[in-house]
Amino acid sequence: EHELEIGQKIQRNFLPATIPAMPGWQLDGMLQPARKVAGDFYDFFMVPELQCMGIVIGDVCDKGVGAALFMTLFRSLIRSGALFGGRTERSAGDDELECTLLHALRSINRYIASTHRGSSMFASVFFGLIVPRTGLLRYVNAGHEAPWIGQGNGVRTQLSTTGPVVGLFEEAEYDVGSAEIRPGEWF
């Protein structure tokens, strides 16, 4: 029980302690694990080079300690891939948001699928980049339940799956979706 409490504390430290402020936006996140530790995760982080915010929602298969350990790996690799990877792979005129999303998901997928093949662990992941001044949202939905965009009680659109879960198939391909979050809408 004591070890699980320590694990729970460590896992909570991997979630954002504060959510970066974006003028004109109200952001919040919450995680209620089914057990003391779990494979669910979320993240918010600024990507200064692209003048946008990364939003990640994920769920590692299974429950408990094993899923929690992989949660920390997935979350860390996604953030690292978005902040530090893929910049040199772009050519003039490339969509920087799309390149960042695809580089992060493809490299993480290849790494997990090849290096951790024997664990049979994978995650559904929604990873989006929001440009705060325009409301543009570019995203990859890797097998995660479709998030919604709406206003009041109504849903305007669902952000459907654009590729398979992360970590099962080394050569998996992902597409990038686009949406707009308008003033007064929720996501």
Side-chain angles (χ1 to χ4, degrees):
E1 188 67 27
H2 179 67
E3 293 295 319
L4 285 175
E5 287 176 15
I6 292 170
Q8 183 181 43
K9 185 176 181 179
I10 291 169
Q11 185 175 33
R12 287 191 192 274
N13 286 334
F14 272 92
L15 300 175
T18 59
I19 297 172
M22 287 193 325
W25 291 76
Q26 180 181 347
L27 302 166
D28 203 358
M30 183 186 89
L31 175 66
Q32 183 63 47
R35 298 183 183 165
K36 286 230 185 237
V37 292
D40 302 316
F41 62 101
Y42 68 90
D43 200 5
F44 296 95
F45 56 93
M46 296 305 295
V47 184
E49 188 175 322
L50 300 178
Q51 298 178 359
C52 67
M53 176 178 282
I55 295 180
V56 180
I57 306 166
D59 186 5
V60 176
C61 69
D62 207 5
K63 303 257 184 270
V65 175
L69 290 170
F70 271 88
M71 177 282 287
T72 62
L73 180 61
F74 277 100
R75 181 259 181 203
S76 298
L77 290 173
I78 290 168
R79 185 181 272 235
S80 176
L83 292 173
F84 307 111
R87 304 293 189 262
T88 59
E89 297 174 13
R90 288 197 289 263
S91 301
D94 282 352
D95 179 328
E96 292 182 303
L97 299 177
E98 181 173 324
C99 288
T100 299
L101 290 163
L102 290 176
H103 170 77
L105 267 287
R106 286 174 179 161
S107 60
I108 293 160
N109 179 68
R110 281 192 306 271
Y111 174 76
I112 299 290
S114 63
T115 306
H116 298 286
R117 179 177 289 122
S119 70
S120 299
M121 296 299 270
F122 60 90
S124 65
V125 175
F126 177 88
F127 176 28
L129 295 173
I130 295 177
V131 179
R133 62 182 165 66
T134 65
L136 173 67
L137 170 66
R138 300 283 289 175
Y139 67 91
V140 172
N141 185 347
H144 201 69
E145 189 161 330
W148 300 337
I149 296 174
Q151 190 169 29
N153 292 331
V155 173
R156 178 171 57 83
T157 190
Q158 285 188 293
L159 306 178
S160 60
T161 301
T162 62
V165 294
V166 179
L168 273 187
F169 311 108
E170 199 169 335
E171 298 304 319
E173 284 298 320
Y174 301 93
D175 292 321
V176 175
S178 273
E180 179 187 6
I181 302 174
R182 301 173 189 147
E185 289 188 325
W186 49 260
F187 163 72

